[in-house]
Amino acid sequence: MRLVGEFLRGHTETVILSILNNGDNYGYEISKIIKNASKGIFNITQATLYNALKRLLKEELITNYWKDGLNGTRRKYYAITEKGKLVLEECRRDWHLIRHFLNDLIGGTYER
Amino acid sequence: MKDKLKEYVEKEFEHVKQTKEILELKEEVYGNLCDQYEEFIQVGYDKEEAYLETIKSVGSFHKPDSSLAYFTRRTTIVLSIFSIFYALLIPTVFFLIGIYGIIIQLLSVLIYVIFYSVGLFRKLEKLDTKNYYLLKNNLKIHLFYFVTMFIFPISLLFNLGSHYIFYLSFVLIFILLVSYLLIFFIDTLWITEGDYKVLDYIKKHLEIIYMGVVIGIISSYDFFSSLSNYNVNPLYLVLGIGLFLLSLSSLIMKSMTHITKTNLIIRIIAYIYFLGLSILSIYDILYGLNVIILLLPFSILYGISLYLKRQSKAQKITSILNQIGFIGIQFPLILYFVGGLSPFAYLLYFTHTTVYFGPYFYKLFPFVIVVGVLICLLVWIQFKKSPIEQKIIETIKTIFYIFLIDIIHHKLITLFMGNKDTIRSQSAVIPYDIKITLNAYFVMIFITYLIFNKIKVKY
């Protein structure tokens, strides 16, 4: 499990874009999806999540808006932008490529 | 528990400028934490466990810098060992060279703060939040009592004239000092909370013995026998009760992690009482002048600055109350400390130094400078990373203290001493009703202390 955290940490922003591509969402739900998908191995802190979201906002890959939540609290929802969708597509293409050569490199099946 | 979560979020961002972005971030983080907390509760965690698990998920929003937090562990340990040896030297120095010993004592308190801050920052860095707040609160209480108790034995020696009391006080204070340092040292070594609690238990009981035997019995006896034998200006008794209320409310506040309606009401009553008292004391030259001229305008000014700085209404109210309370408790001690009733005055007399008072008080200027520099340094360390508003507030506070020392000292010395020769007669130095007031204050502190020890402290 040593590599999981490292890998995910390097792809936090892509993961967030991918989650938002399935629909608008807010901080806690995003972190929960990540945690569940990684079978509890990767527990993203709020600070890490916030910094990643901040970078995505700055690059205009996502936008945000407030919505009333339960118990009188407000939730800040995030939505992917058109630019974000394009970047996500690009990242997904890169990921397929990376996945193949990492399979070979780490799995030891590469050609000499 | 959600209030506690809110408080946690506030603390996480308390030293950051409260921009619109930060306010929104706080709201967002708080909302997320509430959701997470609810989920923990639903799956069967109890409230405390759910709270701790929830705050673990926060992480750190602050970027690392080269501050104290990043001292290495080895450095911290070396510094702690040094501080213990340093403290062990204090008693010798204190007895041998009087005034210089006390200056070293002040320096040592400063050093403890620095060294212990290093340890606390390291805890914060490791996100050991529970321990961090536990120790932070304890440190505040320790320093408060440490400073207070340091003044007691010397005052008792000269007020009541018993050298045995002085030696007893000294031995107990020394034991306390060493136990504090052991706790700090052990804590720095990351020994468990259980070990810490055992030491804290021993220390607390030593304190109670000290306060009970030395302050409680002796001072109470002196106070009540004085009451039965002399006509006492009732204003001073009223002041004593006011101070008691302030001390009590402040200690209750210190023992709480957040404001409840009960402790807020107690504080409000105490402050109304204290302010009413100040108005009453217009008719009294000594307390009237000092309280009205010095204390209140500053409290108002400082209170306004804090009011403007804080965000929520509850925080605004607490800021003002805390400030007035702090000055209210410190004021009599400062008055005692510098106003011709000072232990320094007697020590100077005792050690036959050439420094005298009254119109000659400017000769004390180097001492005032030393104290001023120490206060400034402490303030600088505490608020190194704070926003500009906080720095301004602390600067005002520091200047105030330095001026207060000078002005009160001058006023009281000229009122009661007249000239340097009168210092050689103790009866001329301390008007009897003031002496009684001070003893009343000690009694009140003692009662407050015992009550405080009975209150379950929540961290």
Side-chain angles (χ1 to χ4, degrees):
Chain A
M1 296 301 163
R2 199 170 157 182
L3 288 175
V4 177
E6 288 302 316
F7 273 140
L8 280 172
R9 215 162 281 133
H11 298 283
T12 310
E13 284 152 46
T14 314
V15 168
I16 293 171
L17 282 178
S18 183
I19 292 168
L20 294 179
N21 198 41
N22 289 339
D24 299 358
N25 223 324
Y26 64 98
Y28 177 59
E29 271 301 315
I30 296 172
S31 63
K32 213 165 80 174
I33 290 168
I34 295 173
K35 189 182 172 186
N36 292 339
S38 68
K39 312 281 183 231
I41 295 163
F42 187 56
N43 213 347
I44 190 168
T45 66
Q46 292 228 22
T48 310
L49 182 69
Y50 166 75
N51 284 323
L53 288 167
K54 199 175 160 187
R55 283 193 292 273
L56 291 169
L57 280 166
K58 200 176 170 187
E59 289 173 32
E60 296 175 342
L61 303 181
I62 58 170
T63 54
N64 59 17
Y65 58 94
W66 286 99
K67 203 173 166 183
D68 288 337
L70 297 170
N71 306 323
T73 55
R74 290 195 305 162
R75 281 176 183 152
K76 192 183 254 183
Y77 274 75
Y78 295 90
I80 192 165
T81 60
E82 287 306 316
K83 191 180 168 187
K85 285 178 181 172
L86 290 174
V87 171
L88 177 64
E89 281 310 309
E90 201 180 318
C91 289
R92 279 176 170 166
R93 276 197 300 276
D94 290 349
W95 173 246
H96 285 299
L97 192 68
I98 294 164
R99 196 176 60 178
H100 282 299
F101 74 69
L102 277 180
N103 262 342
D104 291 342
L105 284 171
I106 296 174
T109 54
Y110 55 90
E111 289 176 14
R112 287 175 188 271
Chain B
M1 204 52 90
K2 284 191 177 170
D3 286 343
K4 221 171 152 186
L5 284 175
K6 189 153 193 94
E7 191 188 358
Y8 181 85
V9 176
E10 291 296 337
K11 274 187 188 298
E12 182 68 24
F13 295 98
E14 70 179 340
H15 294 307
V16 182
K17 193 172 182 183
Q18 302 296 304
T19 57
K20 191 180 170 230
E21 188 196 6
I22 292 295
L23 292 176
E24 284 196 354
L25 174 62
K26 285 199 292 191
E27 187 178 354
E28 186 183 357
V29 171
Y30 172 65
N32 289 340
L33 291 181
C34 286
D35 284 353
Q36 196 163 11
Y37 174 78
E38 289 295 341
E39 278 203 13
F40 280 123
I41 294 290
Q42 277 171 16
V43 295
Y45 281 75
D46 71 31
K47 285 182 177 178
E48 191 62 29
E49 280 173 344
Y51 169 75
L52 290 171
E53 287 302 317
T54 304
I55 59 170
K56 270 185 197 169
S57 73
V58 177
S60 177
F61 284 88
H62 311 299
K63 287 179 185 168
D65 58 24
S66 56
S67 69
L68 287 173
Y70 296 92
F71 266 64
T72 63
R73 187 175 166 188
R74 192 180 293 168
T75 314
T76 315
I77 294 168
V78 170
L79 290 175
S80 299
I81 293 170
F82 172 73
S83 73
I84 289 179
F85 282 111
Y86 186 78
L88 292 172
L89 282 174
I90 290 171
T92 320
V93 178
F94 175 74
F95 269 119
L96 289 178
I97 52 174
I99 185 74
Y100 304 108
I102 292 175
I103 291 171
I104 290 170
Q105 179 82 18
L106 288 172
L107 272 170
S108 70
V109 171
L110 186 73
I111 286 172
Y112 305 147
V113 174
I114 296 169
F115 291 172
Y116 196 52
S117 299
V118 174
L120 287 179
F121 271 109
R122 284 198 58 75
K123 283 203 174 297
L124 188 62
E125 186 195 7
K126 296 281 177 195
L127 299 178
D128 189 352
T129 329
K130 193 181 173 189
N131 244 340
Y132 171 70
Y133 285 117
L134 182 81
L135 292 162
K136 193 176 162 191
N137 283 327
N138 266 292
L139 178 69
K140 278 186 191 170
I141 294 164
H142 291 168
L143 283 177
F144 176 76
Y145 285 113
F146 180 74
V147 174
T148 312
M149 282 190 294
F150 176 66
I151 295 172
F152 282 157
I154 304 169
S155 67
L156 284 167
L157 167 66
F158 293 106
N159 271 324
L160 306 177
S162 167
H163 287 253
Y164 295 109
I165 296 168
F166 178 77
Y167 293 129
L168 178 63
S169 302
F170 180 79
V171 169
L172 284 165
I173 280 187
F174 184 64
I175 294 169
L176 278 174
L177 186 69
V178 172
S179 67
Y180 290 155
L181 284 165
L182 276 174
I183 290 167
F184 294 173
F185 180 60
I186 287 170
D187 176 55
T188 312
L189 288 174
W190 299 88
I191 287 179
T192 64
E193 200 181 319
D195 299 331
Y196 172 82
K197 276 182 180 165
V198 171
L199 277 164
D200 198 44
Y201 181 84
I202 296 168
K203 178 189 66 61
K204 191 174 271 185
H205 283 80
L206 277 171
E207 282 175 345
I208 291 172
I209 292 167
Y210 169 70
M211 298 291 279
V213 173
V214 180
I215 307 302
I217 297 173
I218 308 286
S219 203
S220 302
Y221 173 77
D222 188 61
F223 173 60
F224 288 111
S225 62
S226 304
L227 271 185
S228 58
N229 294 332
Y230 299 92
N231 287 325
V232 179
N233 184 343
L235 189 66
Y236 295 117
L237 293 177
V238 179
L239 183 72
I241 298 165
L243 290 170
F244 167 67
L245 280 172
L246 277 166
S247 305
L248 180 65
S249 61
S250 174
L251 287 173
I252 290 171
M253 192 61 123
K254 273 175 195 293
S255 71
M256 304 279 183
T257 49
H258 58 271
I259 302 162
T260 64
K261 206 183 244 181
T262 317
N263 62 33
L264 193 61
I265 288 169
I266 291 171
R267 285 183 84 83
I268 289 169
I269 293 169
Y271 294 130
I272 291 171
Y273 188 93
F274 184 68
L275 291 173
L277 188 69
S278 304
I279 295 163
L280 274 178
S281 62
I282 288 171
Y283 300 103
D284 182 276
I285 293 170
L286 174 65
Y287 282 106
L289 279 179
N290 285 305
V291 171
I292 300 296
I293 294 172
L294 294 171
L295 185 62
L296 286 181
F298 176 75
S299 296
I300 292 166
L301 182 72
Y302 191 59
I304 289 171
S305 64
L306 285 175
Y307 185 85
L308 293 173
K309 185 172 177 287
R310 304 293 183 211
Q311 300 300 323
S312 74
K313 196 181 263 183
Q315 275 185 324
K316 284 174 188 289
I317 294 168
T318 319
S319 304
I320 297 171
L321 296 184
N322 269 337
Q323 183 48 32
I324 301 172
F326 177 74
I327 296 170
I329 291 168
Q330 295 300 316
F331 181 73
L333 286 177
I334 293 169
L335 189 74
Y336 183 72
F337 189 61
V338 296
L341 313 169
S342 164
F344 287 99
Y346 297 111
L347 278 173
L348 290 170
Y349 167 67
F350 231 47
T351 51
H352 304 287
T353 56
T354 52
V355 185
Y356 290 101
F357 298 91
Y360 312 97
F361 87 105
Y362 287 109
K363 288 185 180 178
L364 267 181
F365 196 63
F367 167 70
V368 174
I369 292 289
V370 169
V371 175
V373 168
L374 285 177
I375 296 172
C376 290
L377 198 58
L378 189 63
V379 167
W380 178 75
I381 289 165
Q382 277 182 331
F383 295 98
K384 196 178 165 193
K385 290 193 288 184
S386 67
I388 188 73
E389 296 91 327
Q390 190 70 44
K391 287 192 174 86
I392 292 168
I393 287 168
E394 288 309 317
T395 309
I396 295 171
K397 200 164 144 184
T398 308
I399 293 168
F400 167 76
Y401 279 128
I402 294 170
F403 272 95
L404 188 71
I405 286 170
D406 261 3
I407 295 168
I408 295 181
H409 181 259
H410 181 71
K411 272 183 182 301
L412 291 182
I413 293 300
T414 46
L415 266 172
F416 296 114
M417 289 184 177
N419 60 60
K420 66 179 181 181
D421 296 325
T422 53
I423 196 174
R424 304 209 173 261
S425 159
Q426 278 191 35
S427 58
V429 174
I430 307 175
Y432 200 74
D433 46 0
I434 291 180
K435 185 176 161 184
I436 291 170
T437 306
L438 289 168
N439 280 325
Y441 179 64
F442 298 150
V443 175
M444 297 307 176
I445 284 280
F446 164 67
I447 296 166
T448 309
Y449 184 81
L450 290 184
I451 293 171
F452 174 67
N453 271 286
K454 293 288 172 199
I455 295 169
K456 192 185 174 192
V457 181
K458 295 174 191 169
Y459 293 106

mmCIF file of all heavy atoms in Angstrom, chain B residues 127-152:
data_model
loop_
_atom_site.group_PDB
_atom_site.id
_atom_site.type_symbol
_atom_site.label_atom_id
_atom_site.label_comp_id
_atom_site.label_asym_id
_atom_site.label_seq_id
_atom_site.Cartn_x
_atom_site.Cartn_y
_atom_site.Cartn_z
ATOM 1 N N LEU B 127 0.279 17.551 14.761
ATOM 2 C CA LEU B 127 -1.189 17.527 14.792
ATOM 3 C C LEU B 127 -1.748 16.745 15.982
ATOM 4 O O LEU B 127 -2.800 16.136 15.896
ATOM 5 C CB LEU B 127 -1.754 16.948 13.497
ATOM 6 C CG LEU B 127 -1.402 17.736 12.245
ATOM 7 C CD1 LEU B 127 -1.965 17.054 11.029
ATOM 8 C CD2 LEU B 127 -1.894 19.159 12.328
ATOM 9 N N ASP B 128 -0.987 16.734 17.066
ATOM 10 C CA ASP B 128 -1.472 16.091 18.268
ATOM 11 C C ASP B 128 -2.341 17.115 19.008
ATOM 12 O O ASP B 128 -1.963 17.663 20.034
ATOM 13 C CB ASP B 128 -0.275 15.668 19.129
ATOM 14 C CG ASP B 128 -0.699 14.786 20.292
ATOM 15 O OD1 ASP B 128 -1.917 14.658 20.493
ATOM 16 O OD2 ASP B 128 0.168 14.260 20.973
ATOM 17 N N THR B 129 -3.506 17.344 18.465
ATOM 18 C CA THR B 129 -4.306 18.473 18.885
ATOM 19 C C THR B 129 -4.775 18.384 20.328
ATOM 20 O O THR B 129 -4.749 19.368 21.051
ATOM 21 C CB THR B 129 -5.560 18.567 17.992
ATOM 22 O OG1 THR B 129 -5.220 18.087 16.729
ATOM 23 C CG2 THR B 129 -6.057 19.960 17.893
ATOM 24 N N LYS B 130 -5.163 17.178 20.722
ATOM 25 C CA LYS B 130 -5.710 17.027 22.066
ATOM 26 C C LYS B 130 -4.658 17.431 23.111
ATOM 27 O O LYS B 130 -4.907 18.228 23.998
ATOM 28 C CB LYS B 130 -6.129 15.573 22.281
ATOM 29 C CG LYS B 130 -6.979 15.389 23.517
ATOM 30 C CD LYS B 130 -7.345 13.941 23.679
ATOM 31 C CE LYS B 130 -8.050 13.713 24.994
ATOM 32 N NZ LYS B 130 -8.217 12.299 25.265
ATOM 33 N N ASN B 131 -3.461 16.875 22.936
ATOM 34 C CA ASN B 131 -2.378 17.202 23.851
ATOM 35 C C ASN B 131 -2.007 18.669 23.785
ATOM 36 O O ASN B 131 -1.681 19.292 24.779
ATOM 37 C CB ASN B 131 -1.143 16.379 23.482
ATOM 38 C CG ASN B 131 -0.783 15.432 24.581
ATOM 39 O OD1 ASN B 131 -1.201 15.638 25.715
ATOM 40 N ND2 ASN B 131 -0.034 14.409 24.268
ATOM 41 N N TYR B 132 -2.051 19.201 22.580
ATOM 42 C CA TYR B 132 -1.662 20.599 22.386
ATOM 43 C C TYR B 132 -2.528 21.529 23.239
ATOM 44 O O TYR B 132 -2.019 22.363 23.983
ATOM 45 C CB TYR B 132 -1.779 20.962 20.908
ATOM 46 C CG TYR B 132 -1.604 22.431 20.651
ATOM 47 C CD1 TYR B 132 -0.357 23.031 20.799
ATOM 48 C CD2 TYR B 132 -2.679 23.225 20.275
ATOM 49 C CE1 TYR B 132 -0.185 24.374 20.588
ATOM 50 C CE2 TYR B 132 -2.517 24.566 20.048
ATOM 51 C CZ TYR B 132 -1.277 25.142 20.204
ATOM 52 O OH TYR B 132 -1.122 26.480 19.993
ATOM 53 N N TYR B 133 -3.834 21.357 23.152
ATOM 54 C CA TYR B 133 -4.714 22.254 23.906
ATOM 55 C C TYR B 133 -4.631 21.996 25.408
ATOM 56 O O TYR B 133 -4.687 22.913 26.209
ATOM 57 C CB TYR B 133 -6.156 22.145 23.412
ATOM 58 C CG TYR B 133 -6.322 22.838 22.088
ATOM 59 C CD1 TYR B 133 -6.677 22.148 20.948
ATOM 60 C CD2 TYR B 133 -6.063 24.203 21.969
ATOM 61 C CE1 TYR B 133 -6.788 22.786 19.731
ATOM 62 C CE2 TYR B 133 -6.163 24.842 20.753
ATOM 63 C CZ TYR B 133 -6.531 24.142 19.642
ATOM 64 O OH TYR B 133 -6.620 24.782 18.448
ATOM 65 N N LEU B 134 -4.459 20.721 25.759
ATOM 66 C CA LEU B 134 -4.310 20.368 27.169
ATOM 67 C C LEU B 134 -3.120 21.111 27.770
ATOM 68 O O LEU B 134 -3.208 21.764 28.805
ATOM 69 C CB LEU B 134 -4.093 18.861 27.283
ATOM 70 C CG LEU B 134 -3.966 18.286 28.677
ATOM 71 C CD1 LEU B 134 -5.348 18.102 29.268
ATOM 72 C CD2 LEU B 134 -3.265 16.945 28.645
ATOM 73 N N LEU B 135 -1.998 21.047 27.078
ATOM 74 C CA LEU B 135 -0.774 21.663 27.584
ATOM 75 C C LEU B 135 -0.816 23.174 27.497
ATOM 76 O O LEU B 135 -0.313 23.881 28.372
ATOM 77 C CB LEU B 135 0.422 21.121 26.802
ATOM 78 C CG LEU B 135 0.680 19.645 27.078
ATOM 79 C CD1 LEU B 135 1.539 19.043 25.996
ATOM 80 C CD2 LEU B 135 1.321 19.471 28.431
ATOM 81 N N LYS B 136 -1.417 23.671 26.450
ATOM 82 C CA LYS B 136 -1.483 25.119 26.271
ATOM 83 C C LYS B 136 -2.267 25.744 27.439
ATOM 84 O O LYS B 136 -1.836 26.725 28.032
ATOM 85 C CB LYS B 136 -2.189 25.424 24.946
ATOM 86 C CG LYS B 136 -2.053 26.858 24.501
ATOM 87 C CD LYS B 136 -2.711 27.021 23.147
ATOM 88 C CE LYS B 136 -2.973 28.467 22.871
ATOM 89 N NZ LYS B 136 -3.834 28.658 21.706
ATOM 90 N N ASN B 137 -3.389 25.125 27.772
ATOM 91 C CA ASN B 137 -4.193 25.644 28.874
ATOM 92 C C ASN B 137 -3.450 25.537 30.196
ATOM 93 O O ASN B 137 -3.483 26.439 31.017
ATOM 94 C CB ASN B 137 -5.519 24.874 28.977
ATOM 95 C CG ASN B 137 -6.488 25.333 27.921
ATOM 96 O OD1 ASN B 137 -6.483 26.495 27.545
ATOM 97 N ND2 ASN B 137 -7.288 24.432 27.419
ATOM 98 N N ASN B 138 -2.756 24.412 30.382
ATOM 99 C CA ASN B 138 -2.004 24.237 31.615
ATOM 100 C C ASN B 138 -0.894 25.252 31.743
ATOM 101 O O ASN B 138 -0.649 25.788 32.807
ATOM 102 C CB ASN B 138 -1.410 22.830 31.675
ATOM 103 C CG ASN B 138 -2.330 21.912 32.435
ATOM 104 O OD1 ASN B 138 -2.495 22.068 33.629
ATOM 105 N ND2 ASN B 138 -2.957 21.000 31.736
ATOM 106 N N LEU B 139 -0.240 25.513 30.644
ATOM 107 C CA LEU B 139 0.867 26.476 30.666
ATOM 108 C C LEU B 139 0.386 27.843 31.121
ATOM 109 O O LEU B 139 1.004 28.505 31.955
ATOM 110 C CB LEU B 139 1.496 26.593 29.272
ATOM 111 C CG LEU B 139 2.629 27.604 29.169
ATOM 112 C CD1 LEU B 139 3.850 27.126 29.938
ATOM 113 C CD2 LEU B 139 2.997 27.867 27.735
ATOM 114 N N LYS B 140 -0.752 28.245 30.601
ATOM 115 C CA LYS B 140 -1.313 29.551 30.966
ATOM 116 C C LYS B 140 -1.552 29.611 32.473
ATOM 117 O O LYS B 140 -1.196 30.570 33.139
ATOM 118 C CB LYS B 140 -2.650 29.773 30.242
ATOM 119 C CG LYS B 140 -2.499 30.273 28.834
ATOM 120 C CD LYS B 140 -3.890 30.573 28.314
ATOM 121 C CE LYS B 140 -3.894 30.841 26.832
ATOM 122 N NZ LYS B 140 -5.246 30.902 26.312
ATOM 123 N N ILE B 141 -2.177 28.539 32.988
ATOM 124 C CA ILE B 141 -2.509 28.521 34.412
ATOM 125 C C ILE B 141 -1.228 28.499 35.254
ATOM 126 O O ILE B 141 -1.099 29.222 36.230
ATOM 127 C CB ILE B 141 -3.400 27.297 34.722
ATOM 128 C CG1 ILE B 141 -4.742 27.460 34.007
ATOM 129 C CG2 ILE B 141 -3.631 27.136 36.210
ATOM 130 C CD1 ILE B 141 -5.549 26.196 33.902
ATOM 131 N N HIS B 142 -0.254 27.705 34.830
ATOM 132 C CA HIS B 142 1.004 27.609 35.566
ATOM 133 C C HIS B 142 1.683 28.963 35.665
ATOM 134 O O HIS B 142 2.126 29.381 36.728
ATOM 135 C CB HIS B 142 1.958 26.627 34.875
ATOM 136 C CG HIS B 142 1.498 25.230 34.971
ATOM 137 N ND1 HIS B 142 2.041 24.215 34.233
ATOM 138 C CD2 HIS B 142 0.513 24.680 35.702
ATOM 139 C CE1 HIS B 142 1.417 23.099 34.516
ATOM 140 N NE2 HIS B 142 0.480 23.358 35.395
ATOM 141 N N LEU B 143 1.770 29.633 34.554
ATOM 142 C CA LEU B 143 2.471 30.918 34.561
ATOM 143 C C LEU B 143 1.743 31.929 35.441
ATOM 144 O O LEU B 143 2.358 32.687 36.170
ATOM 145 C CB LEU B 143 2.618 31.460 33.144
ATOM 146 C CG LEU B 143 3.715 30.768 32.342
ATOM 147 C CD1 LEU B 143 3.757 31.301 30.925
ATOM 148 C CD2 LEU B 143 5.078 30.957 32.985
ATOM 149 N N PHE B 144 0.426 31.899 35.370
ATOM 150 C CA PHE B 144 -0.371 32.824 36.180
ATOM 151 C C PHE B 144 -0.060 32.623 37.659
ATOM 152 O O PHE B 144 0.233 33.569 38.386
ATOM 153 C CB PHE B 144 -1.850 32.588 35.891
ATOM 154 C CG PHE B 144 -2.759 33.424 36.741
ATOM 155 C CD1 PHE B 144 -2.944 34.771 36.471
ATOM 156 C CD2 PHE B 144 -3.427 32.873 37.826
ATOM 157 C CE1 PHE B 144 -3.774 35.541 37.253
ATOM 158 C CE2 PHE B 144 -4.262 33.640 38.613
ATOM 159 C CZ PHE B 144 -4.430 34.977 38.326
ATOM 160 N N TYR B 145 -0.103 31.374 38.094
ATOM 161 C CA TYR B 145 0.136 31.109 39.504
ATOM 162 C C TYR B 145 1.598 31.259 39.882
ATOM 163 O O TYR B 145 1.927 31.631 40.995
ATOM 164 C CB TYR B 145 -0.380 29.718 39.890
ATOM 165 C CG TYR B 145 -1.867 29.725 39.990
ATOM 166 C CD1 TYR B 145 -2.663 29.031 39.106
ATOM 167 C CD2 TYR B 145 -2.479 30.502 40.963
ATOM 168 C CE1 TYR B 145 -4.031 29.085 39.181
ATOM 169 C CE2 TYR B 145 -3.857 30.562 41.043
ATOM 170 C CZ TYR B 145 -4.619 29.852 40.150
ATOM 171 O OH TYR B 145 -5.964 29.929 40.230
ATOM 172 N N PHE B 146 2.428 30.957 38.941
ATOM 173 C CA PHE B 146 3.852 31.079 39.215
ATOM 174 C C PHE B 146 4.201 32.533 39.552
ATOM 175 O O PHE B 146 4.858 32.819 40.543
ATOM 176 C CB PHE B 146 4.653 30.620 37.996
ATOM 177 C CG PHE B 146 6.130 30.710 38.209
ATOM 178 C CD1 PHE B 146 6.765 29.789 39.012
ATOM 179 C CD2 PHE B 146 6.859 31.710 37.622
ATOM 180 C CE1 PHE B 146 8.129 29.873 39.230
ATOM 181 C CE2 PHE B 146 8.220 31.803 37.831
ATOM 182 C CZ PHE B 146 8.854 30.882 38.628
ATOM 183 N N VAL B 147 3.718 33.434 38.727
ATOM 184 C CA VAL B 147 3.987 34.856 38.948
ATOM 185 C C VAL B 147 3.343 35.311 40.253
ATOM 186 O O VAL B 147 3.950 36.001 41.071
ATOM 187 C CB VAL B 147 3.463 35.679 37.750
ATOM 188 C CG1 VAL B 147 3.588 37.162 38.031
ATOM 189 C CG2 VAL B 147 4.239 35.326 36.498
ATOM 190 N N THR B 148 2.096 34.905 40.457
ATOM 191 C CA THR B 148 1.373 35.319 41.658
ATOM 192 C C THR B 148 2.065 34.799 42.922
ATOM 193 O O THR B 148 2.295 35.544 43.861
ATOM 194 C CB THR B 148 -0.064 34.766 41.624
ATOM 195 O OG1 THR B 148 -0.598 35.051 40.346
ATOM 196 C CG2 THR B 148 -0.922 35.411 42.681
ATOM 197 N N MET B 149 2.429 33.547 42.892
ATOM 198 C CA MET B 149 3.003 32.947 44.089
ATOM 199 C C MET B 149 4.377 33.497 44.398
ATOM 200 O O MET B 149 4.826 33.490 45.529
ATOM 201 C CB MET B 149 3.050 31.433 43.931
ATOM 202 C CG MET B 149 1.695 30.814 44.156
ATOM 203 S SD MET B 149 1.771 29.040 44.262
ATOM 204 C CE MET B 149 2.260 28.607 42.636
ATOM 205 N N PHE B 150 5.035 33.942 43.367
ATOM 206 C CA PHE B 150 6.358 34.501 43.593
ATOM 207 C C PHE B 150 6.267 35.760 44.466
ATOM 208 O O PHE B 150 7.134 36.021 45.298
ATOM 209 C CB PHE B 150 7.003 34.840 42.245
ATOM 210 C CG PHE B 150 8.326 35.516 42.385
ATOM 211 C CD1 PHE B 150 9.402 34.838 42.932
ATOM 212 C CD2 PHE B 150 8.486 36.821 41.981
ATOM 213 C CE1 PHE B 150 10.626 35.457 43.079
ATOM 214 C CE2 PHE B 150 9.704 37.453 42.124
ATOM 215 C CZ PHE B 150 10.777 36.767 42.676
ATOM 216 N N ILE B 151 5.210 36.508 44.287
ATOM 217 C CA ILE B 151 5.061 37.751 45.045
ATOM 218 C C ILE B 151 4.598 37.475 46.481
ATOM 219 O O ILE B 151 4.987 38.167 47.412
ATOM 220 C CB ILE B 151 4.074 38.687 44.318
ATOM 221 C CG1 ILE B 151 4.686 39.089 42.974
ATOM 222 C CG2 ILE B 151 3.792 39.947 45.135
ATOM 223 C CD1 ILE B 151 3.756 39.840 42.083
ATOM 224 N N PHE B 152 3.817 36.417 46.654
ATOM 225 C CA PHE B 152 3.242 36.147 47.978
ATOM 226 C C PHE B 152 4.262 36.006 49.113
ATOM 227 O O PHE B 152 4.144 36.667 50.136
ATOM 228 C CB PHE B 152 2.375 34.895 47.936
ATOM 229 C CG PHE B 152 1.031 35.133 47.320
ATOM 230 C CD1 PHE B 152 0.310 34.097 46.777
ATOM 231 C CD2 PHE B 152 0.490 36.410 47.303
ATOM 232 C CE1 PHE B 152 -0.924 34.316 46.199
ATOM 233 C CE2 PHE B 152 -0.746 36.634 46.725
ATOM 234 C CZ PHE B 152 -1.449 35.590 46.177
#
